[in-house]
Amino acid sequence: MTVLDTRALGRATLARQLLLDRADIPVLDAVAHLGGLQAQEPQEPFVGLWSRLRAFDPAALSDQLVRRGVVRTHLMRRTVHLVTADDALAWRARHETMLRQRVLGTYRRELEGVDLDELAAAGRAIMADGEPRSMTELARALAERWPAPGPRALGEMLVAALVPMVQLPPRGLWRTRAGVRNVPLSSWLGREIDPPSPSADDPVGQALVRRYLAAFGPAASADLRAWCGLAGLPAAVAAIREELVSFRDERGRELLDLPGAPRPDPGTPAPVRFLPAFDNAILGYHDRSRIIDDAHRGLSVAGARVVLVDGRVAATWTVEDGTVIVSPLGLLSRADRTAVAEQGRATASFLSDNDSHRVRIAAS
């Protein structure tokens, strides 16, 4: 079985994630291809798509939110994701059990003795009037009936797990600050979510596996689980295994992939890219060594924005007073510093609508 080293896997990731060459595709197609973008920080998906698409116009993404082509909802890993409306409807029921379990993992003591199906029915009844509500408002409406858990535990269980919700615009629009207002997913889109499939070979899971490999492969089952939060999807993987190809990484793990998916030569040049906080190019794997050193792994879950140099995380970046400030994690060659500065100026220009091109690179 062919062994793919770290560099080969990294180049495959860049190609699948549209980071090797910026893509010339519509925003909706990009969000679909990527399987969504993690979006608990509302402005970060704009940076993520700007780094991936040619001539990206932030207004196009805002327009898709307003027109309901994409939605902000709790999904993979119980985190807020920006996904297409079609994917939200198709995938939500498959994530239901995981979402409940993850909220219970945080609030099991507070929610002890609460009948979750009864709580879900009560939450749906409250939201049936079509009025957007914050998580706290929804929880307080039910606090008299369930006083013991407290509004935080009730609210998170309802909004993140029991009642499929979307966060309404203006939350998530370009350069807009707005609080979270929730409405049921089905009422916002005018369509019911797809019901759970009774089939034992998990057709929804099969679609998830194919979509994951298209955007993240080659990858191991543990990587798939790290991306979606579901328990490895063994029945789905078994059902489509014959249509997949297999490799091994340098640790001996089996990696699965779609046969026709791009796996560039490891020597393919990789441009500098500025990634947003919580970018799935990093978080979409259990083994993130293909793109980030183990010593810096914590950056990916701490909300740091990172810079890719030669396909790997080489710096973090922030913005202060319109200036992009880059902090290298190690030594950068003169050529790399020049490339980082060039891309930093472009990033500053994008974020400021061409008002600033300032970048400062700290000492290595």
Side-chain angles (χ1 to χ4, degrees):
M1 190 178 296
T2 301
V3 175
L4 300 176
D5 63 17
T6 298
R7 190 175 176 89
L9 291 174
R11 289 303 188 265
T13 292
L14 296 179
R16 312 293 175 87
Q17 286 288 305
L18 314 180
L19 292 167
L20 200 58
D21 293 300
R22 280 185 167 95
D24 189 16
I25 59 176
V27 163
L28 189 64
D29 292 348
V31 175
H33 168 75
L34 296 167
L37 297 96
Q38 193 160 334
Q40 65 263 46
E41 296 292 338
Q43 296 298 298
E44 298 304 289
F46 292 93
V47 178
L49 289 176
W50 175 77
S51 292
R52 290 169 163 90
L53 300 180
R54 293 191 186 97
F56 170 63
D57 181 359
L61 180 56
S62 291
D63 185 58
Q64 285 292 340
L65 271 166
V66 171
R67 293 170 54 196
R68 312 183 192 196
V70 299
V71 296
R72 294 171 48 83
T73 186
H74 287 85
L75 202 59
M76 282 78 76
R77 308 187 298 276
R78 206 201 87 182
T79 53
V80 177
H81 271 70
L82 180 77
V83 297
T84 68
D86 288 343
D87 284 345
L89 294 168
W91 295 352
R92 181 53 174 77
R94 186 63 181 81
H95 286 74
E96 176 87 14
T97 300
M98 177 273 293
L99 293 170
R100 289 191 180 205
Q101 290 173 342
R102 292 212 170 191
V103 178
L104 281 176
T106 303
Y107 297 108
R108 189 173 301 278
R109 181 177 299 176
E110 291 87 342
L111 293 167
E112 186 175 359
V114 175
D115 185 313
L116 296 184
D117 291 334
E118 186 179 344
L119 178 61
R124 286 192 292 269
I126 293 290
M127 298 302 296
D129 62 5
E131 287 297 315
R133 289 177 173 84
S134 70
M135 183 177 72
T136 301
E137 289 169 343
L138 176 57
R140 285 176 177 167
L142 297 170
E144 184 175 346
R145 186 170 175 183
W146 285 282
R152 185 73 185 182
L154 275 183
E156 287 209 25
M157 177 55 81
L158 283 162
V159 170
L162 297 183
V163 183
M165 298 277 200
V166 297
Q167 298 182 356
L168 291 189
R171 180 77 168 179
L173 300 183
W174 178 235
R175 293 184 181 161
T176 301
R177 292 182 178 273
V180 177
R181 308 289 289 174
N182 302 286
V183 296
L185 174 65
S186 56
S187 65
W188 178 245
L189 296 180
R191 293 179 283 165
E192 294 299 320
I193 65 171
D194 293 353
S197 172
S199 175
D201 59 0
D202 191 5
V204 177
Q206 292 178 40
L208 279 167
V209 174
R210 294 187 185 97
R211 294 282 294 281
Y212 174 74
L213 292 177
F216 294 88
S221 293
D223 298 318
L224 170 65
R225 183 168 58 248
W227 170 68
C228 63
L230 303 175
L233 302 171
V237 171
I240 66 171
R241 178 173 281 274
E242 289 188 0
E243 71 184 61
L244 303 178
V245 292
S246 298
F247 304 93
R248 291 207 182 274
D249 64 14
E250 293 176 300
R251 295 166 48 191
R253 299 188 314 160
E254 183 185 31
L255 308 176
L256 300 175
D257 204 4
L258 303 174
R263 289 178 288 274
D265 185 281
T268 304
V272 169
R273 291 286 186 257
F274 279 59
L275 297 187
F278 306 113
D279 195 279
N280 277 346
I282 300 174
L283 293 183
Y285 299 97
H286 173 70
D287 180 3
R288 299 170 187 163
S289 62
R290 67 178 67 192
I291 199 169
I292 187 170
D293 293 344
D294 287 342
H296 305 309
R297 181 185 174 96
L299 295 172
S300 59
V301 295
R305 294 164 160 177
V306 300
V307 182
L308 300 183
V309 177
D310 193 29
R312 298 191 63 77
V313 173
T316 61
W317 67 280
T318 58
V319 180
E320 294 182 12
D321 299 324
T323 300
V324 170
I325 300 172
V326 179
S327 300
L329 299 172
L331 292 175
L332 293 178
S333 69
R334 179 175 297 181
D336 286 340
R337 289 179 72 90
T338 298
V340 169
E342 179 182 357
Q343 193 64 18
R345 285 189 289 270
T347 304
S349 175
F350 167 71
L351 293 173
S352 67
D353 195 19
N354 295 319
D355 189 49
S356 170
H357 298 79
R358 298 187 299 273
V359 61
R360 185 170 78 243
I361 304 177
S364 296

